[in-house]
Amino acid sequence: MDVKISKFFDSIGSFFTGGDQIPWCDRDIIGGCEREVAEANDDKQKSESIMRLSWALVHSRQAEDVQRGIAMLEASLANSSPPLQQREKLYLLAVGYYRTGEYAKSRQILEQCLEIAPDWRQALGLKKTVEDRIAKDGVIGIGITATAVGLIAGGIAAALARKK
């Protein structure tokens, strides 16, 4: 019985927090990636280091890091790159937009990513997470709206009852 109650409260908690399985990254890792970019000897090594830094930035808990990662990825998408690298950049960009709460933009980018690799499980998993989050936000929005309408109707009813 206690296990069922615990699962129930965990599901409610994950409903409101999002409960996604996307990893987080801390400032130490970002700092290490920044040093790696600065110390890169050739273009190939620098490009790989920039991809790792972009990954770390969009997985950060700090909004300014995520924004920086998004800007880096958007700038690098303009350069022509092989389809697999393009797929990775699009996926990381979708993670960044998910982290900033721009779920519709994240879903749009994931669809571009899935055009390149339709069966890529990681992108399919993130797309489901994004769509679940969009649905949850809709349910919460409907609940808030219904509560507001109820309060307004209650206020009007109380005011009318007071006049009589």
Side-chain angles (χ1 to χ4, degrees), residues 62-78:
Q62 307 299 319
E64 61 273 7
D65 290 340
V66 176
Q67 290 296 336
R68 208 170 114 214
I70 289 171
M72 286 175 66
L73 288 160
E74 285 178 338
S76 71
L77 277 173

Side-chain angles (χ1 to χ4, degrees), residues 49-125:
S49 298
I50 288 172
M51 279 299 290
R52 281 191 287 278
L53 176 58
S54 298
W55 184 96
L57 288 169
V58 297
H59 287 86
S60 173
R61 292 185 188 271
Q62 307 299 319
E64 61 273 7
D65 290 340
V66 176
Q67 290 296 336
R68 208 170 114 214
I70 289 171
M72 286 175 66
L73 288 160
E74 285 178 338
S76 71
L77 277 173
N79 304 334
S80 62
S81 56
L84 283 178
Q85 204 171 41
Q86 194 82 353
R87 173 192 83 164
E88 294 287 330
K89 290 176 183 178
L90 288 169
Y91 175 80
L92 291 175
L93 195 55
V95 168
Y97 281 117
Y98 175 78
R99 290 281 194 225
T100 62
E102 294 182 58
Y103 306 122
K105 184 127 180 160
S106 180
R107 180 174 51 189
Q108 174 191 9
I109 291 170
L110 282 165
E111 287 174 8
Q112 291 175 20
C113 180
L114 289 167
E115 286 175 13
I116 297 169
D119 297 330
W120 192 25
R121 287 186 187 173
Q122 198 171 3
L124 290 168

